[in-house]
Amino acid sequence: GAVVSQHPSWVICKSGTSVKIECRSLDFQATTMFWYRQFPKQSLMLMATSNEGSKATYEQGVEKDKFLINHASLTLSTLTVTSAHPEDSSFYICSASPRLLLDTGELFFGEGSRLTVL
Amino acid sequence: AQTVTQSQPEMSVQEAETVTLSCTYDTSESDYYLFWYKQPPSRQMILVIRQEAYKQQNATENRFSVNFQKAAKSFSLKISDSQLGDAAMYFCAFGFYGQNFVFGPGTRLSVLP
C-alpha cells in the first residue's frame, strides 16, 4: 500500500523557537495533503489543506502565521510551527491523497509527530 | 455539511467475543465513501475497512465486517473473535475522493483477557 512518512516522530523545543515537521509520500505523488492536530483522547482536527504549488487553505480558527504550510513538490509538505508556545504542544498528523489512484477514496496517514514546547 | 457521530465513547469486549461499534452520519450526497480507522497506542492511523456508498453489499475484511444501512445513514463495525491487539481507538470517517475526511469523535475499545 501507499506509504506516508512523517518526521520527526517527536520533538521537544524551547518556547519561542520554530519547529518544522515534514510529511512525505514515499511511493506515490500527492496532489493534496492534509494536516491535523489531535488532542489527547480526541478526534483528529483538520488544520489545513495543502495543494502542491498553491497556498494552503486553513480551517477557521487556525492561525496562518503560526502554522506555516508549504507543499513545494508532489511528495513533500511541511508544517512549521513558528514561535512555538506550550499551548502548541500536541500531536500533529498528516495525510495524503494520491494524484493517480484507483478510486478507493482512501487517505494515507503519516505516523504523526508529537511536539512538546517547554 | 457532513457530520459523523459515534455514540459510544468507550466499549469493552472479552477476548474471542464479538463487539459492534456504532456510527451514524449525515450528508446530502449520494456517492461517497465510509471508513473505519484504528488508532492504537502508537497513534498510527490504520485503515480497518472501507465501503463505497453505491455498493449495497457490506464490506468484510477477515474478522471485520460492516453493516451499512444507507437509508438510515448508519455504518457499524463488527469485530469477531476479538483479539488483544484489537484494543485501540476506532474512528468512523466519511469522505470523497481526494478530499478531507469528516471524522467521528472515536470509540475506545478495550479487550479483556
Side-chain angles (χ1 to χ4, degrees), chain B:
Chain B
Q2 290 82 18
T3 59
V4 176
T5 302
Q6 293 177 250
S7 59
Q8 306 152 318
E10 295 184 356
M11 290 282 285
S12 62
V13 61
Q14 207 73 34
E15 195 175 4
E17 296 295 310
T18 296
V19 64
T20 298
L21 308 184
S22 301
C23 173
T24 58
Y25 59 95
D26 189 25
T27 183
S28 58
E29 303 291 339
S30 59
D31 194 15
Y32 47 87
Y33 301 91
L34 293 165
F35 303 86
W36 278 97
Y37 276 85
K38 167 185 176 181
Q39 189 180 40
S42 67
R43 308 293 289 272
Q44 172 72 60
M45 295 288 282
I46 301 168
L47 177 66
V48 175
I49 199 165
R50 60 185 291 276
Q51 173 84 42
E52 293 96 329
Y54 68 86
K55 288 186 177 180
Q56 293 185 342
Q57 186 174 7
N58 290 323
T60 62
E61 285 289 340
N62 301 314
R63 297 183 294 109
F64 300 88
S65 62
V66 298
N67 183 1
F68 174 46
Q69 301 291 328
K70 190 172 184 179
K73 296 179 182 175
S74 171
F75 183 60
S76 62
L77 173 69
K78 186 172 80 171
I79 306 175
S80 304
D81 185 26
S82 298
Q83 301 175 0
L84 295 177
D86 295 333
M89 196 76 170
Y90 285 81
F91 293 102
C92 178
F94 169 101
F96 298 96
Y97 172 71
Q99 299 187 27
N100 180 50
F101 291 171
V102 177
F103 289 95
T107 296
R108 181 170 299 282
L109 177 66
S110 300
V111 180
L112 307 175

